[in-house]
């Protein structure tokens, strides 16, 4: 369980692989007055991730890791996180699956955002599958990460309406806008504030 003392900010690492719009929204959140977290480092599994530009812009330490040898990379990663006293990990469009051992080391301290109303549409291509199934709603979920993909305890969800003319792109855009609002709210909830 992550707990905020009310004085010290929770030292947070954000893990990304791509665009990093959720990373950007978390940076903005962290800069707010009385925000309970400080983003100490961003970890990317992709050296070309656009999200890394935000690290530069906002002066956040960044580390790019190649997960080809997962065991070795995770060992290295654990060392980096320990050296920075990281207490909370926010996965934000991170496309690698963390090992059971890694998750155990940060039990109850890893959050993820997923673009569907879990438990529906775990995994990839959520919007396409929701549209193919003629869903009337979809949304996004912030959940704890456990050892099963997109299956950890749900923290918060936001539902959005699927319109008649909805496309994968329009739905993705609509949901992403809600993700940016939901992640900060879910962090506040997790920290019991
Ligand atoms: C988001 O839709 C998130 O839910 C999913 O991957 C996407 C990442 O977008 N896990 P971004 O990199 O934060 O812009």
């Amino acid at each position: 369980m992550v707990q905020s003392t009310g004085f010290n900010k929770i030292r947070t690492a954000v893990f990304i692989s791509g665009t990093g719009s959720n990373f950007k929204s978390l940076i903005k959140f962290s800069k707010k007055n009385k925000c309970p977290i400080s983003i100490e480092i961003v970890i990317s599994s992709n050296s070309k991730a656009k999200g890394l530009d935000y690290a530069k812009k906002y002066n956040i330490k960044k580390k790019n890791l190649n997960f080809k040898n997962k065991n070795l990379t995770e060992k290295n990663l654990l060392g980096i996180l320990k050296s920075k006293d990281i207490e909370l990990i926010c996965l934000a469009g991170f496309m690698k699956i963390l090992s059971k051992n890694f998750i155990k080391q940060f039990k109850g301290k890893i959050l993820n955002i997923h673009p569907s109303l879990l438990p529906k549409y775990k995994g990839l291509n959520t919007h396409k599958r929701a549209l193919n199934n003629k869903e009337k709603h979809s949304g996004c979920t912030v959940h704890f990460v456990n050892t099963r993909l997109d299956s950890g305890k749900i923290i918060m969800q936001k539902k959005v309406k699927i319109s008649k003319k909805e496309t994968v792109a329009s739905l993705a855009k609509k949901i992403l806008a809600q993700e940016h609002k939901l992640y900060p709210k879910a962090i506040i909830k997790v920290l019991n504030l």
Side-chain angles (χ1 to χ4, degrees), residues 19-22 93 113-115 176 179:
T19 316
S21 68
N22 277 289
I113 187 147
H114 184 78
L176 200 56
E179 291 184 37

Side-chain angles (χ1 to χ4, degrees), residues 136-152:
K136 295 218 160 42
H137 295 94
S138 188
C140 47
T141 304
V142 177
H143 63 94
F144 286 105
V145 170
N146 68 8
T147 54
R148 281 169 297 115
L149 183 71
D150 299 328
S151 298

Side-chain angles (χ1 to χ4, degrees), residues 92-178:
F94 183 65
M95 299 304 283
K96 298 286 171 190
I97 295 179
L98 296 163
S99 72
K100 284 184 185 168
N101 174 59
F102 184 95
I103 293 169
K104 226 165 61 191
Q105 306 280 330
F106 278 91
K107 194 162 183 270
K109 296 177 177 178
I110 311 177
L111 314 183
N112 182 40
I113 187 147
H114 184 78
S116 78
L117 292 174
L118 290 173
K120 277 191 166 178
Y121 308 116
K122 296 172 185 176
L124 298 174
N125 301 319
T126 53
H127 307 313
K128 192 169 176 214
R129 288 186 282 147
L131 291 178
N132 284 348
N133 285 346
K134 311 237 173 305
E135 296 282 1
K136 295 218 160 42
H137 295 94
S138 188
C140 47
T141 304
V142 177
H143 63 94
F144 286 105
V145 170
N146 68 8
T147 54
R148 281 169 297 115
L149 183 71
D150 299 328
S151 298
K153 189 172 172 226
I154 291 171
I155 300 160
M156 273 183 130
Q157 292 186 306
K158 176 72 187 178
K159 201 173 177 180
V160 307
K161 215 169 169 208
I162 296 181
S163 72
K164 290 218 169 80
K165 290 182 182 159
E166 207 75 74
T167 63
V168 169
S170 68
L171 184 58
K173 191 172 168 200
K174 201 190 264 186
I175 290 179
L176 200 56
Q178 293 306 323

